[in-house]
């Protein structure tokens, strides 16, 4: 049912996905401090930590949300957003009145502020500054920028880029990285303000200094979300804008760019000289090339040196020079061979491109670690030119070197195209059977043979191959596949996997236990032993009754 605010449970489920939605059901009682605005709702959700959530009513487009939990910081509509949304829906009848009250409070505040004279407003602001250190630091920076106090601006930027207040254990963890990034963004804004106010030369120097500080700080930050990296990109853009206005010495700028790119503090910021073409001019670009070439010749295997040379050659469109740079240090997994092939192919030199890619296959023959994109590219080229049989040979060789499910699947796909999968399958399964006999395991711990037979749609053969060698993941997949045809066998798997989950806590474990119980119930229904399952479930609930979240989850699943 859709309520007056424009979204309903289905919208929450669609935004979050089934898994997060189900988990969010267990957090409804953990929502506190709900505040209602014009199209938005904020609240705190108490889980492993206290998370701040804001969801927005997008009208016909449903609902969106933000949360400062790790999953939410990745841009996902998380279980905490779901919980807040469900609370809002449960209070749907109260929302219009709460919105009216919120609008009235905002209007009263605006009217009151407008009624204050200058001295009263200043007194109010000073009181707020005394209580709010962050606000005071932001306004101090604006004031220093406005009066061109570069020393003060420099000091404020140093404070904004310091990690101390966000560093709990010697580094800024994932949960605090966004807050640090928002603070660092204020330093970027200050540099942009200097450029806009006619102080571009000062902005250039401060930007370079800030880039160094942020580069040093970045080593202590878990920036898995990429938020601090986006701030770093903004900082580099602010430097480039300042350079376009101030026009610093081209050769000095070239030396700084190359030094930064080859230095130790460039993880956060990429100073691409090609972006500075307008600022550098011919003289500066020549200096960049000279310095970059010297550095690359000294260290041809250096990642930064190589990247810099590749960017310069690519910008000038010299494919042969770019190939020479790449070929000077070929990656052992074939990735560089592929890079060269792609560049030659884009230049219309298809025969040379294929030759380089084939050389990559030869150089990596027998190796487990090969860039899969190289093999995909070569096989696609073979199939396009009517040489699918050669693609089969390539895929067969890959399976011999890397007994993985992916290699098996790739061989099956191309062999079916050629019409030789039946014979290829027997040989391929023979390899995997020999691995299984020697207890050679796949990525999950069980033999790849079981995964391959399951992927082929042959669960009975997979069951026989599993014996006592399959891992729990494989056994669960097997049980799901055979619960209709072999319910007694599948039931044994579900009950065995459920047993250890009775001893642990956590919503994730509870959801998995419920999943196993649903499978067991299906098996009992097939066997006509529903009463036996009812007794098992009653005993389980009695023994686990203190786990309130587990009871809720079982109720949600009708167990």
């Amino acid at each position: 049912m859709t309520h007056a605010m424009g979204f309903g449970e289905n919208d929450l489920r669609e935004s979050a996905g089934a898994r997060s939605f189900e988990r969010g059901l267990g957090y409804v009682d953990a929502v506190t401090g709900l505040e209602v605005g014009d199209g938005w709702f904020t609240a705190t959700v108490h889980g492993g930590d206290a998370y701040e959530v804001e969801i927005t009513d997008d009208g016909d487009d449903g609902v969106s949300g933000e949360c400062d939990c790790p999953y939410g910081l990745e841009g996902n509509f998380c279980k905490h957003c779901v919980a807040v949304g469900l609370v809002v829906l449960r209070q749907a009848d109260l929302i219009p009145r709460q919105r009216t009250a919120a609008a009235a409070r905002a209007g009263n505040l605006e009217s009151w502020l407008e009624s204050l004279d200058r001295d009263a407003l200043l007194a109010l602001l000073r009181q707020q500054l005394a209580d709010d250190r962050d606000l005071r630091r932001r306004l101090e920076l604006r004031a220093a920028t406005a009066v061109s106090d570069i020393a003060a601006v420099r000091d404020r930027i140093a404070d904004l880029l310091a990690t101390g207040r966000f560093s709990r254990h010697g580094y800024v963890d994932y949960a605090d990285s966004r807050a640090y990034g928002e603070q660092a963004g204020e330093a970027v804004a200050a540099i942009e303000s200097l450029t806009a106010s006619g102080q571009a030369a000062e902005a250039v120097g401060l930007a370079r200094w800030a880039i160094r500080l942020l580069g040093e700080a970045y080593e202590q930050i878990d920036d898995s979300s990429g938020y601090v990296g986006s701030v770093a990109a903004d900082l580099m853009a602010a430097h480039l804008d300042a350079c376009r206005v101030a026009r610093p010495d081209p050769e000095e700028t070239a030396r700084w760019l190359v030094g930064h790119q080859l230095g130790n503090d460039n993880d956060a910021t990429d100073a691409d000289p090609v972006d500075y073409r307008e600022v550098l001019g011919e003289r500066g670009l020549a200096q960049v090339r000279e310095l970059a070439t010297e550095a690359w010749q000294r260290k041809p295997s250096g990642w930064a040196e190589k990247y810099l040379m590749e960017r310069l050659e690519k910008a000038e469109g010299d494919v042969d020079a770019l190939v020479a740079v790449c070929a000077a240090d070929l990656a052992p997994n074939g990735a560089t061979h592929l890079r060269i092939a792609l560049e030659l192919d884009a230049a219309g030199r298809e025969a040379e491109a294929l030759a380089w890619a084939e050389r990559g296959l030869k150089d990596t023959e027998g190796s487990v670690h090969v860039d899969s994109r190289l093999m995909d590219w070569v096989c696609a080229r073979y199939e396009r030119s009517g040489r699918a049989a050669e693609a089969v040979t390539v895929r067969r060789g890959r399976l011999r070197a890397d007994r993985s499910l992916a290699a098996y699947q790739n061989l099956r796909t191309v062999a079916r195209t050629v019409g030789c999968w039946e014979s290829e399958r027997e040989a391929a399964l023979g390899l995997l059977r020999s691995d299984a006999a020697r207890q050679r395991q796949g990525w999950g711990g069980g033999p790849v043979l079981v995964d391959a037979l399951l992927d082929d749609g042959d669960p009975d053969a997979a069951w026989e191959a599993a014996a006592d060698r399959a891992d729990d993941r494989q056994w669960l997949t097997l049980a799901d596949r055979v619960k209709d045809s072999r319910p007694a066998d599948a039931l044994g798997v579900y009950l065995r996997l459920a047993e250890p989950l009775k001893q642990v806590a956590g919503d994730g474990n509870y959801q998995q236990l419920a999943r196993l119980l649903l499978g067991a119930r299906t098996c009992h229904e097939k066997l006509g032993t529903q009463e036996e399952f009812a007794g098992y479930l009653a005993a389980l609930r009695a023994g686990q009754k203190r786990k309130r979240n587990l009871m809720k989850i079982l109720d949600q699943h009708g167990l």
Side-chain angles (χ1 to χ4, degrees), residues 157-230:
I157 288 177
D159 289 339
L160 291 170
L161 296 180
T163 61
R165 61 180 296 222
F166 303 98
S167 181
R168 301 182 187 182
H169 310 289
Y171 65 95
V172 180
D173 64 22
Y174 182 89
D176 294 323
S177 61
R178 185 181 182 90
Y180 172 80
E182 289 173 350
Q183 178 174 291
E186 296 173 22
V188 178
I191 292 169
E192 293 170 338
S193 296
L194 285 174
T195 300
S197 62
Q199 302 173 81
E202 290 81 358
V204 169
L206 281 176
R208 294 184 185 179
W209 179 69
I211 287 167
R212 180 174 63 80
L213 290 183
L214 184 56
E216 293 171 351
Y218 199 71
E219 297 177 1
Q220 308 164 33
I221 300 171
D222 179 356
D223 190 33
S224 301
S225 68
Y227 190 86
V228 179
S230 68

Side-chain angles (χ1 to χ4, degrees), residues 50-112:
Y51 298 113
E52 300 301 318
V53 175
E54 178 175 338
I55 64 171
T56 304
D57 180 356
D58 295 329
D60 293 338
D61 294 327
V63 62
S64 59
E66 295 181 2
C67 177
D68 60 1
C69 74
Y71 189 60
L73 288 174
E74 293 177 355
N76 298 297
F77 195 91
C78 66
K79 61 188 178 185
H80 306 113
C81 292
V82 171
V84 174
L86 291 170
V87 169
V88 170
L89 293 178
R90 292 182 181 183
Q91 299 181 12
D93 294 340
L94 303 176
I95 296 302
R97 187 190 315 158
Q98 291 174 317
R99 279 180 173 162
T100 300
R105 289 194 299 271
N108 290 340
L109 176 60
E110 185 70 21
S111 298
W112 177 65

Side-chain angles (χ1 to χ4, degrees), residues 66-372:
E66 295 181 2
C67 177
D68 60 1
C69 74
Y71 189 60
L73 288 174
E74 293 177 355
N76 298 297
F77 195 91
C78 66
K79 61 188 178 185
H80 306 113
C81 292
V82 171
V84 174
L86 291 170
V87 169
V88 170
L89 293 178
R90 292 182 181 183
Q91 299 181 12
D93 294 340
L94 303 176
I95 296 302
R97 187 190 315 158
Q98 291 174 317
R99 279 180 173 162
T100 300
R105 289 194 299 271
N108 290 340
L109 176 60
E110 185 70 21
S111 298
W112 177 65
L113 289 173
E114 290 178 352
S115 71
L116 298 177
D117 60 23
R118 178 179 180 276
D119 289 341
L121 280 171
L122 285 174
L124 180 64
L125 180 58
R126 290 188 182 104
Q127 180 182 351
Q128 187 64 32
L129 291 175
D131 296 334
D132 190 334
R133 184 179 67 172
D134 289 339
L135 176 61
R136 184 178 71 251
R137 291 168 67 177
R138 289 197 297 271
L139 293 186
E140 285 174 348
L141 179 56
R142 291 191 184 187
T145 303
V147 298
S148 303
D149 187 346
I150 302 302
V153 173
R154 185 183 176 94
D155 289 342
R156 290 298 90 201
I157 288 177
D159 289 339
L160 291 170
L161 296 180
T163 61
R165 61 180 296 222
F166 303 98
S167 181
R168 301 182 187 182
H169 310 289
Y171 65 95
V172 180
D173 64 22
Y174 182 89
D176 294 323
S177 61
R178 185 181 182 90
Y180 172 80
E182 289 173 350
Q183 178 174 291
E186 296 173 22
V188 178
I191 292 169
E192 293 170 338
S193 296
L194 285 174
T195 300
S197 62
Q199 302 173 81
E202 290 81 358
V204 169
L206 281 176
R208 294 184 185 179
W209 179 69
I211 287 167
R212 180 174 63 80
L213 290 183
L214 184 56
E216 293 171 351
Y218 199 71
E219 297 177 1
Q220 308 164 33
I221 300 171
D222 179 356
D223 190 33
S224 301
S225 68
Y227 190 86
V228 179
S230 68
V231 174
D234 292 340
L235 177 56
M236 188 58 69
H239 174 260
L240 177 55
D241 288 341
C243 287
R244 284 172 174 155
V245 176
R247 295 291 174 175
D249 179 75
E251 292 188 347
E252 188 276 332
T253 301
R255 288 192 291 273
W256 180 82
L257 285 169
V258 174
H260 174 73
Q261 192 64 31
L262 301 181
N264 297 322
D265 301 324
N266 64 355
D267 287 347
T269 49
D270 181 13
D272 191 340
V274 177
D275 294 337
Y276 286 75
R277 187 191 303 269
E278 174 191 346
V279 174
L280 293 169
E282 291 186 8
R283 188 159 57 97
L285 284 171
Q287 177 75 347
V288 167
R289 173 167 284 281
E290 179 182 342
L291 295 171
T293 301
E294 290 175 358
W296 176 64
Q297 289 174 344
R298 287 194 304 269
K299 190 179 180 182
S301 61
W303 182 90
E305 290 81 359
K306 200 174 164 187
Y307 173 78
L308 189 54
M309 286 299 299
E310 288 178 6
R311 287 293 298 131
L312 292 172
E313 303 299 3
K314 191 169 179 64
E316 292 186 10
D318 190 337
V319 176
D320 290 316
L322 177 57
V323 168
V325 172
C326 294
D329 183 49
L330 295 170
N333 68 344
T336 318
H337 298 79
L338 176 61
R339 169 76 193 281
I340 293 172
L342 293 174
E343 294 292 345
L344 290 169
D345 198 44
R349 295 158 64 173
E350 294 186 5
E352 294 175 77
L354 182 57
W356 262 103
E358 290 174 328
R359 175 181 166 183
L361 293 183
K362 183 178 180 181
D363 289 350
T364 59
E365 187 175 2
S367 173
V368 174
H369 305 292
V370 179
D371 193 318
S372 61

